[in-house]
Amino acid sequence: MESTTHLTNSEEETIQLGRQLAPTLSGAVLLIGNLGAGKTTLTKGIVEGRGVARMEEVSSPTFTLVHQYGNADNPVFHIDLYRLDEVREVETLGLDDLFGSGALVLLEWAERFPSLMPRERTEIRLRALDDDSREIIITRVGSA
Ligand SMILES: Nc1ncnc2c1ncn2[C@@H]1O[C@H](COP(=O)(O)OP(=O)(O)OP(=O)(O)O)[C@@H](O)[C@H]1O
Ligand SMILES: [Mg+2]
């Protein structure tokens, strides 16, 4: 599987990487990494790069599990499944409709529910190398 690896040395560099990646992404994008790895930080840059919101508007979805940025023509969804434990809870969110819509859907902690993820997706793995450095590996999965 072909992967691209990036290294960032600050929060701002990760946001900048998100801005750069924004036009290249589509469909389901799983953001995979530990607490504090930078999943929401990268999301800020992606949302801003898409031109659908300013990064200050992007927060960790806590009570709202599904955030929508942008209008119906060009939406970006940001979903955090950290607080959900059961497949049947996740099923109530209607993720299949979002995946079927062709919208960009950014998901945190979705690798915990592999049976609910589409076969074709992008996986972005983030790993802390030290306090300020992150390794970010992007892999397209399931496309021919
Ligand atoms: N190179 C870097 N890239 C991203 N974040 C960094 C970097 N260096 C330090 N940080 C810090 O790491 C933290 C990343 O937090 P963020 O909310 O993005 O993580 P997360 O992966 O979404 O965690 P959670 O699983 O809790 O949602 C921030 O406090 C940020 O300032
Ligand atoms: Mg987060």
Side-chain angles (χ1 to χ4, degrees), residues 112-129:
R112 296 168 55 235
F113 304 97
S115 69
L116 302 180
M117 294 301 117
R119 198 180 61 84
E120 274 191 38
R121 59 189 185 270
T122 301
E123 295 184 353
I124 303 184
R125 289 171 197 279
L126 303 96
R127 188 165 70 91
L129 302 180

Side-chain angles (χ1 to χ4, degrees), residues 75-87:
V76 176
F77 294 92
H78 179 211
I79 298 169
D80 190 334
L81 301 180
Y82 185 71
R83 283 172 186 76
L84 297 187
D85 292 316
E86 307 282 344
V87 164

Side-chain angles (χ1 to χ4, degrees), residues 13-52:
E13 281 186 27
T14 296
I15 293 169
Q16 184 55 30
L17 176 64
R19 289 192 194 104
Q20 278 172 33
L21 293 174
T24 73
L25 298 172
S26 61
V29 177
L30 277 65
L31 301 164
I32 304 171
N34 289 338
L35 290 169
K39 303 179 293 295
T40 300
T41 302
L42 189 66
T43 297
K44 290 180 182 195
I46 295 170
V47 164
E48 203 165 90
R50 284 263 166 170
V52 292

Side-chain angles (χ1 to χ4, degrees), residues 8 10-11 14 35-41 108-109 131-132 134:
T8 67
S10 66
E11 179 175 354
T14 296
L35 290 169
K39 303 179 293 295
T40 300
T41 302
E108 300 189 35
W109 298 104
D131 281 357
D132 295 322
R134 301 291 186 270

Side-chain angles (χ1 to χ4, degrees), residues 36-107:
K39 303 179 293 295
T40 300
T41 302
L42 189 66
T43 297
K44 290 180 182 195
I46 295 170
V47 164
E48 203 165 90
R50 284 263 166 170
V52 292
R54 285 158 43 76
M55 66 181 192
E56 292 77 13
E57 297 170 51
V58 178
S59 58
S60 296
T62 46
F63 298 107
T64 314
L65 294 170
V66 180
H67 280 270
Q68 179 179 346
Y69 301 101
N71 57 28
D73 293 338
N74 181 30
V76 176
F77 294 92
H78 179 211
I79 298 169
D80 190 334
L81 301 180
Y82 185 71
R83 283 172 186 76
L84 297 187
D85 292 316
E86 307 282 344
V87 164
R88 59 182 170 73
E89 295 174 303
V90 182
E91 281 172 340
T92 66
L93 299 178
L95 294 185
D96 277 345
D97 290 341
L98 295 186
F99 296 146
S101 74
L104 178 58
V105 186
L106 305 165
L107 301 121

